[in-house]
Amino acid sequence: MMTEGSGTYAEEDIHVKNEQVECTANDVFSIMTIMIRKEEASAYEQALAFMIRLLKQGFPKNYKIKLKSSVKQYLPVKGLAKSDTHRFFANALAYPDLHPLLEEYAREAIEEFEWYADTEGEKSCMPGTYATFGLGLADERYFPLVEFYMGKVDDEHQLVQDKFTVAFAEKHGITASSVPALVACLRRSTDDLKLKIQPELENEEKLALYVQQISGLEKYEVERVLYPIWGKVEKLAALARKAEGKRKELLLELLQAAGK
């Protein structure tokens, strides 16, 4: 059990070895060991397929990766653990052809109330985090994945979504395609998040997109998605009093949605 695991999985599922990559897994210790012999897309593709296959068979989702690779990439998101697990996915994300497979992995790995074994405290993160964050920053095609991920986040025990939200807003701003994902992020934000997008929301069209996206949310949720941008609703009310025309109408809509 110490060396081979519980025996639950077939040998060909827990050990893959060829000239490009070597992968082994031990479910007793929840570890996947990956050695990249050739730094190329095919090696990471095989490693991802290895992981997906095991996860579909019930391998513990609170696993960690032990990586042997000559490449040391990390995501452009401050505050994430500089772990082997993080590095593996950052390395794999460098190959755009692998992005659909990374999404498949993420959707299989994401599980509420589970965390990668090599993260703790403020850097704890749900399985699928690194793939989701990397894909969400890379291409708007993966904004629905970001929304799916945020719907599973346990915001009482995870803070890294705040770090991603800052990076996401800086990269994509407020557009018709990005605003649903941005609001999904804000709905899982903590009180520590401060998002510097007020200048962008001076644009009435962008403010209208934001207002439209929060319609239908509960009042407490509206307050939550407003706070990282404007702080307490009293500050937003002060801005609304000074505003004119269409902008004033939109700010008053935000206040009304928050029950103010």
Side-chain angles (χ1 to χ4, degrees), residues 2 10 37 45 50 52 55 66 77 112 123 185-186 188 246 251:
M2 297 282 284
R37 296 178 181 275
E45 180 180 12
F50 174 82
I52 292 168
L55 290 174
K66 183 178 180 181
V77 178
E112 192 175 13
K123 296 184 179 182
C185 293
L186 290 170
R188 291 294 180 265
K246 180 63 174 178
L251 292 175

Side-chain angles (χ1 to χ4, degrees), residues 196-212:
K196 298 177 181 179
I197 58 172
Q198 274 199 54
E200 195 171 359
L201 289 169
E202 294 291 330
N203 180 297
E204 288 182 5
E205 290 183 3
K206 294 190 175 187
L207 181 58
L209 286 173
Y210 189 80
V211 172
Q212 182 181 10

Side-chain angles (χ1 to χ4, degrees), residues 1-9 14 24-33 54 58-64 117:
M1 291 181 71
M2 297 282 284
T3 58
E4 302 295 337
S6 66
T8 301
Y9 307 96
I14 62 168
T24 58
N26 187 312
D27 60 322
V28 172
F29 295 110
S30 300
I31 292 177
M32 296 188 190
T33 302
L54 282 173
F59 193 87
K61 291 192 173 181
N62 61 336
Y63 75 94
K64 66 179 180 181

